[in-house]
Amino acid sequence: MIIVENLTKKYDKTIALNNVSMKIPIGKITVVLGPSGSGKTTLLRIIAGLEKPDTGRIIVDGEDILSKPPWERGVSMVFQTPSLFPHMTVYDNIAFGLEARTMSKKEIKEKVRWAANLLHIDHLLEKYPEQLSGGEQQRVALARALVVEPKILLLDEPLSNLDLALREELRYELKSIQRRTGITFIHVTHDQDEALELADYLVVLYKGMKVEEGPPRRVYEYPETIEAAKVFGHNIIRAYCSDKEITYPWSKGLVETNCTLIIPQHKIIVSGKDNCVIIDKIYRRNYGLLIIKCKETILRTVVLLRELDNYVIGEKIGIKMIDPKIMRK
């Protein structure tokens, strides 16, 4: 494990990271998910040595790397914008990190070609950055980071500026590269789909605090905190919970609440007619989304795309909750 302990970082009165601790598996893809301002990039910059924390430790191979300069940490970082050297060819950009080492030109050439082949850019080695597309530039940046064979590769939303089709292509490439190299990837994003597709292990940050970590499916379907549920856009409902049943706020006779329910969108099932009404329906690429109002409570539920046209805005419906997470805090 890479162990992050009690990491705190402040910028004037703004707390970017608030006593953050986590355990990051070696040789896997850990994704750090969170909205803008949650501290994701600050965490990466501290690991890379570009920022110093106010308190805390980061333990790699049994020692605190915060006492080491950036070039001795075995870490490479890829940024949201590729930041290539415009006056250098693709070959020279990739080779840049190797030339400071005591390596022969033959060794450098072999490593550059290995990295270029890994990223499928071996045909671009003589071109300059301005001659490349955005996706090709990001591949060059990835090759430059990988060619030095780091222990840890930090990825600061490297796909966010790319179009959707290219983002999905590079997600697959990143997973394939990690499997082949065995390098520990720490990837930050605000995109839920990207996080769930890439992650072997998932960490959720919210307002500078770690609010969840674990296997991605467990974290998504059974979050332990309301803050993590908010990051995923789950339905969050105040209700009354007894040992035998749950009384929802749109049910008759509810006069008080004593629990909060977390219900992912796919765990609300449309069932018959009742006192809820469809107020909108949304077409997504792979599924439909119904916006439902039950008295004053707004809910979102997923339906099969082929069934979306069967529902009419203004139609009264009933719903069933599947395995809601009950929070009694």
Side-chain angles (χ1 to χ4, degrees), residues 1-142:
M1 292 286 183
I2 299 167
I3 301 172
V4 176
E5 286 185 352
N6 308 120
L7 214 58
T8 296
K9 177 65 178 178
K10 296 179 182 179
Y11 299 100
D12 295 325
K13 294 182 180 180
T14 301
I15 302 175
L17 293 174
N18 188 359
N19 199 35
V20 168
S21 297
M22 64 184 72
K23 294 181 179 179
I24 298 171
I26 294 291
K28 303 288 184 181
I29 301 178
T30 292
V31 175
V32 181
L33 173 68
S36 297
S38 60
K40 305 184 301 296
T41 295
T42 300
L43 173 64
L44 290 197
R45 290 178 64 85
I46 290 172
I47 296 172
L50 303 177
E51 301 277 0
K52 291 184 177 180
D54 298 314
T55 63
R57 302 192 304 164
I58 300 174
I59 309 299
V60 180
D61 293 337
E63 60 180 326
D64 186 358
I65 65 169
L66 295 181
S67 61
K68 293 183 174 184
W71 54 89
E72 291 182 7
R73 296 187 181 190
V75 172
S76 289
M77 188 165 177
V78 178
F79 299 91
Q80 187 173 346
T81 302
S83 301
L84 303 176
F85 299 112
H87 62 289
M88 293 184 180
T89 64
V90 169
Y91 180 97
D92 291 332
N93 266 282
I94 297 173
F96 182 79
L98 298 173
E99 290 174 348
R101 306 183 179 196
T102 55
M103 298 179 66
S104 67
K105 289 186 177 181
K106 180 181 179 182
E107 288 176 307
I108 291 174
K109 184 176 181 180
E110 288 175 354
K111 283 188 172 292
V112 169
R113 294 212 171 266
W114 167 80
N117 184 62
L118 194 66
L119 273 299
H120 308 296
I121 53 172
D122 42 309
H123 60 295
L124 302 175
L125 290 175
E126 301 307 314
K127 291 185 177 291
Y128 288 86
E130 65 178 12
Q131 299 173 293
L132 308 179
S133 68
E136 289 170 339
Q137 288 184 25
Q138 200 58 285
R139 286 176 184 271
V140 175
L142 284 164

Side-chain angles (χ1 to χ4, degrees), residues 163-273:
D163 63 70
L164 179 62
L166 190 53
R167 283 205 307 273
E168 293 184 343
E169 178 185 334
L170 280 179
R171 285 178 202 167
Y172 170 78
E173 292 286 351
L174 284 174
K175 289 194 79 166
S176 176
I177 289 166
Q178 194 283 322
R179 300 293 186 267
R180 280 183 279 170
T181 62
I183 294 170
T184 300
F185 282 20
I186 305 176
H187 180 107
V188 308
T189 183
H190 62 270
D191 186 315
Q192 299 173 29
D193 292 336
E194 185 173 298
L196 294 170
E197 183 175 335
L198 280 174
D200 297 310
Y201 194 77
L202 184 61
V203 177
V204 182
L205 295 184
Y206 185 77
K207 294 184 177 180
M209 296 183 290
K210 186 209 74 180
V211 294
E212 196 84 41
E213 69 176 297
R217 183 168 182 178
R218 199 278 301 160
V219 169
Y220 176 74
E221 296 207 22
Y222 302 100
E224 297 293 333
T225 67
I226 292 172
E227 291 80 8
K230 288 179 180 177
V231 171
F232 287 116
H234 290 340
N235 296 287
I236 300 172
I237 304 167
R238 289 293 298 169
Y240 183 82
C241 302
S242 68
D243 293 337
K244 295 182 179 180
E245 63 180 358
I246 299 170
T247 304
Y248 296 100
W250 52 88
S251 302
K252 293 180 180 180
L254 180 63
V255 294
E256 62 177 308
T257 62
N258 67 352
C259 65
T260 300
L261 307 177
I262 298 173
I263 310 172
Q265 295 172 7
H266 67 285
K267 290 189 175 183
I268 297 180
I269 307 299
V270 176
S271 176
K273 305 283 184 181

Side-chain angles (χ1 to χ4, degrees), residues 129-161:
E130 65 178 12
Q131 299 173 293
L132 308 179
S133 68
E136 289 170 339
Q137 288 184 25
Q138 200 58 285
R139 286 176 184 271
V140 175
L142 284 164
R144 183 175 61 186
L146 286 165
V147 76
V148 297
E149 299 181 72
K151 292 179 181 178
I152 304 167
L153 178 63
L154 306 175
L155 300 159
D156 187 10
E157 302 201 56
L159 311 182
S160 62
N161 289 337

